[in-house]
Amino acid sequence: MTYFRLFHPVLLAREIIHTGTAQLEGEEKKRVSIINTLSLASIALCLIFGSVIYYLTSNLEILIPAYAEALLFVVVLMLNHFRWHNAAAILTAFVHNVSIVYFSALLGMVTEVYLLFFFLLGAALMIFHGKPLLVKFSIAISVICLVLCELNYYYYFIEPLPLSHDDQFLIRWVTIPAILVLDVITFALYVRTLRRKNAQLERKATALEMADKATRRQAMETSHEMRNPFNAVYGISQDLLMQVQKSDLYPAELKSSIEHLYSASHNVLQILNNNLEHFRQQEGVAPQLETGVFNVRDWAEEATAIYQYIANVRDVSIALEIDPQMPARVEGDKIKLTQILNNLLFNAIKFTHADSTVTVQIRPNGKQWQLLVRDSGEGIPPERLSTIFSPYVSEQHAFGGTGLGLPIVQRFVELMGGTITVASKAGEGSVFTVNLPLVVVEETPAPAAPVNRNITLRAFPGVKALVIDDNQMSNMILSRFLDRMECQTSAAYSGEEGLEKAIETRPAIIFLDSHMPGMDGKATLAALQDNPATRDAIVIIVSGDAAEASIAEMLTAGADDFMTKPIDLKTLNELMIRFEARLTNPTNQ
């Protein structure tokens, strides 16, 4: 400390307030500064209070204790200087409480001692910050001291000083401002502390929000990067499965391995789709209903047939039971219903016992219809039933899972105006019941038909198709799928090459990758629309970038539809069926 600071009150006070904080950081530094501030204020008030009262009363019983208290707060400053910060905090609380009891006993009803409770409460919260036990202990001691002061007012365990009326009046107007000064200082320090903490929380919240956005962006980019190579795995597994289904020349072991490959790749696809839907939800993208008419039995048989391959991995069978009174055709969002059933089946297969059955029941229920999925697993513990639909709540299991399936199911069910419930018994399994509004299109029940476990496709013989994708594996897989539907397929590996081939072959349908070097999907789409030879072609965007903004951008630019990688063969076939009228139009051939 320089001599200049010794004679400069503001700099001297600042130096005292920061004594012992040089090696400290963060909250501990602030805590020590607050102790020093309270000690400095107490020293000043003790010297002023003691001197004024002595001047008025000439009583050393006030002067000496007041000066002694000031000296003890000097000791507090010294303790902080030598980095004995906890001892300084304890001594601060001790001196405040003892001095309050002593001076209130001597001065009696003259002092409004209860006004000091706010000071003691605030001081305890600040000087023992981060030490909850000491905070509670300090507050308890302060309450006891204030109670003792009140009791002494009534029973005079300690006789107060004999003071004249004028002395009492003067002392009252000295002590009350001193008490209020302490209260105001404590309040100001506490508000300052709260503001600092609020600012810290706001900075942390901003940092967390930025980190969360960066994490979601990274996750979306990772998902996009995964979809391109996985498109090959999933496409090859579907292609191989179709081959072994149509021939008896393959050995049983090979068929089993291919079914396992298809099952594993379908599981990964389900996880990718669930993650995508979860990311969309976090971004605030509300799912939209796309209602249409569909045959309930055909839909359920197709979905359960696909999952039978997955169930085979665990030696589990799927039993589909459709009530004869269930209407054949209903109106609803078939795509989201498929996602609901897929997630429920995946969950049931994962937790059911081997060599057992997962049962899917569909039946009318008044003005609603029910979809029930029952497994024969160990059941869900009662304590987990209340959180079963929360994101990331998932039991560890070798069969995989992210804990996102059931929350997505609940979201889609509620979007369609329905409800979902779960019932479970230990050792007997669980049953998920979905109730949805029943909008009947045709009352006649459909006749029972055997379930076709094979992947069947609608053929489009002679339809010209063009695949434009710089990824050779993705290009090959999609081209092979189109060949299986008997299309006349050609391939291009850049936007420029794709435009040339489109003008040359005049395809009825073009599958265009959105991300390509050089001439990207959007530029290629614009060029196709500007050319009279290609403007009437159906353009389907195919990409691993499934972000809602990317899809909307391409559709706004004029694409007819959007397909997300990895390509599902049945989904591709359904898309071709939707555009069948335009595909078979001679003007497009």
Side-chain angles (χ1 to χ4, degrees), residues 21-129:
T21 63
Q23 305 298 323
L24 301 177
E25 294 181 356
E27 293 301 321
E28 185 65 13
K29 184 175 183 177
K30 297 295 182 183
R31 186 175 76 92
V32 173
S33 297
I34 288 172
I35 294 173
N36 291 337
T37 302
L38 293 176
S39 298
L40 184 60
S42 298
I43 290 170
L45 289 174
C46 286
L47 295 177
I48 295 171
F49 172 78
S51 299
V52 171
I53 298 299
Y54 179 73
Y55 175 78
L56 295 174
T57 64
S58 301
N59 195 320
L60 292 175
E61 292 182 78
I62 297 292
L63 180 65
I64 293 175
Y67 280 22
E69 182 180 354
L71 182 61
L72 286 174
F73 282 114
V74 172
V75 174
V76 169
L77 295 173
M78 295 301 296
L79 290 173
N80 275 334
H81 176 74
F82 291 108
R83 300 190 184 91
W84 292 1
H85 305 304
N86 289 332
I90 294 171
L91 181 59
T92 300
F94 174 78
V95 173
H96 279 143
N97 283 283
V98 171
S99 62
I100 286 171
V101 173
Y102 177 80
F103 287 114
S104 67
L106 285 183
L107 299 176
M109 297 295 292
V110 173
T111 57
E112 301 290 347
V113 70
Y114 63 86
L115 294 176
L116 284 168
F117 179 73
F118 300 103
F119 162 71
L120 295 174
L121 176 62
L125 292 172
M126 290 186 293
I127 67 178
F128 294 118
H129 176 73

Side-chain angles (χ1 to χ4, degrees), residues 39-289:
S39 298
L40 184 60
S42 298
I43 290 170
L45 289 174
C46 286
L47 295 177
I48 295 171
F49 172 78
S51 299
V52 171
I53 298 299
Y54 179 73
Y55 175 78
L56 295 174
T57 64
S58 301
N59 195 320
L60 292 175
E61 292 182 78
I62 297 292
L63 180 65
I64 293 175
Y67 280 22
E69 182 180 354
L71 182 61
L72 286 174
F73 282 114
V74 172
V75 174
V76 169
L77 295 173
M78 295 301 296
L79 290 173
N80 275 334
H81 176 74
F82 291 108
R83 300 190 184 91
W84 292 1
H85 305 304
N86 289 332
I90 294 171
L91 181 59
T92 300
F94 174 78
V95 173
H96 279 143
N97 283 283
V98 171
S99 62
I100 286 171
V101 173
Y102 177 80
F103 287 114
S104 67
L106 285 183
L107 299 176
M109 297 295 292
V110 173
T111 57
E112 301 290 347
V113 70
Y114 63 86
L115 294 176
L116 284 168
F117 179 73
F118 300 103
F119 162 71
L120 295 174
L121 176 62
L125 292 172
M126 290 186 293
I127 67 178
F128 294 118
H129 176 73
K131 300 173 174 59
L133 288 178
L134 287 176
V135 170
K136 294 176 182 178
F137 182 75
S138 178
I139 293 175
I141 293 298
S142 299
V143 171
I144 292 172
C145 289
L146 291 175
V147 170
L148 290 175
C149 292
E150 286 294 323
L151 290 174
N152 191 66
Y153 291 158
Y154 296 104
Y155 299 105
Y156 293 115
F157 301 115
I158 300 175
E159 287 290 334
L161 293 174
L163 299 172
S164 66
H165 181 270
D166 291 339
D167 287 343
Q168 290 182 19
F169 180 80
L170 292 172
I171 290 172
R172 180 179 179 84
W173 283 102
V174 171
T175 55
I176 288 179
I179 292 172
L180 291 177
V181 166
L182 286 175
D183 286 340
V184 169
I185 291 174
T186 305
F187 180 76
L189 288 173
Y190 194 68
V191 169
R192 183 179 175 184
T193 301
L194 289 178
R195 286 177 177 172
R196 186 179 70 253
K197 288 190 174 299
N198 285 338
Q200 291 174 348
L201 288 174
E202 287 177 1
R203 287 195 296 270
K204 289 181 179 179
T206 301
L208 286 173
E209 185 178 356
M210 292 177 63
D212 183 54
K213 288 182 178 179
T215 300
R216 289 204 301 267
R217 185 169 58 251
Q218 178 65 27
M220 286 291 288
E221 291 174 357
T222 301
S223 175
H224 169 61
E225 292 301 322
M226 287 177 62
R227 285 177 180 272
N228 272 319
F230 181 66
N231 186 42
V233 177
Y234 187 54
I236 290 171
S237 70
Q238 294 177 87
D239 193 45
L240 290 173
L241 186 62
M242 287 191 67
Q243 289 185 41
V244 298
Q245 286 175 347
K246 294 180 178 179
S247 176
D248 296 327
L249 300 177
Y250 298 96
E253 290 183 1
L254 180 59
K255 287 185 176 182
S256 176
S257 297
I258 291 173
E259 287 185 0
H260 278 63
L261 173 63
Y262 174 75
S263 171
S265 60
H266 197 280
N267 288 348
V268 176
L269 176 63
Q270 187 73 10
I271 292 170
L272 286 173
N273 288 339
N274 283 343
N275 276 312
L276 173 61
E277 184 59 40
H278 183 65
F279 292 144
R280 286 174 174 170
Q281 182 177 350
Q282 287 187 317
E283 293 294 333
V285 179
Q288 301 297 319
L289 288 178

